[in-house]
Amino acid sequence: KGEQVTLTKMVSAKQATVSSLAMATPIGKRAISISVDNISSLMGMIKPGDYVDIIGFIPVPAQTPEGKQAAQMAVVPLFQKILVLAVGRNLGAVSEESRYRKEEDSGASSPLITLAFTPHEANLITFVTEQG
């Protein structure tokens, strides 16, 4: 408010498409990348703009029948309907020439998926990623 609008504060229609992670990340969210394998990435079928649920596989302290402490792995649902911002380096912006071009490696999937989390969710997913 009260500021002059200059060309440096404007975005062209071409730039308005999702061309950077900053533009793809919703206001109030944080972009966090998590490592995935072929199974958890559904063999590369997850694409930017999809929504996913996050399930953690974390160690929980438990007592064995002999009375000793041991870590037992537990499956914990963490988040539902989390926006996928990027898969690998793909932000989902499709150019006209790539729209009709066949993908070079259609069976491959990226080892990283970037998701949009609130700051609180970002803290939790970072902790769980380190522990699980």
Side-chain angles (χ1 to χ4, degrees):
K1 184 177 178 179
E3 242 182 273
Q4 188 176 25
V5 179
T6 62
L7 284 177
T8 59
K9 296 185 181 188
M10 306 284 280
V11 176
S12 71
K14 187 176 183 181
Q15 291 173 322
T17 61
V18 179
S19 59
S20 72
L21 188 57
M23 301 227 10
T25 307
I27 295 173
K29 300 281 185 161
R30 304 295 182 265
I32 302 287
S33 294
I34 60 172
S35 180
V36 294
D37 56 19
N38 279 338
I39 294 170
S40 59
S41 70
L42 302 174
M43 294 299 293
M45 291 191 300
I46 295 175
K47 303 290 182 210
D50 290 347
Y51 287 87
V52 296
D53 294 345
I54 307 295
I55 298 170
F57 191 61
I58 58 173
V60 176
Q63 199 168 17
T64 65
E66 296 84 32
K68 295 183 180 181
Q69 285 283 27
Q72 182 178 5
M73 298 307 282
V75 176
V76 180
L78 298 171
F79 308 107
Q80 292 181 325
K81 202 174 178 185
I82 299 295
L83 175 64
V84 176
L85 298 174
V87 177
R89 296 175 57 115
N90 179 15
L91 290 167
V94 179
S95 64
E96 284 301 315
E97 64 269 5
S98 68
R99 181 179 306 232
Y100 301 106
R101 189 176 39 182
K102 200 178 214 179
E103 290 184 23
E104 293 174 11
D105 191 8
S106 59
S109 62
S110 173
L112 290 177
I113 293 182
T114 304
L115 305 165
F117 290 103
T118 65
H120 178 68
E121 291 170 339
N123 289 337
L124 276 169
I125 195 67
T126 302
F127 175 77
V128 170
T129 302
E130 292 297 318
Q131 298 299 314

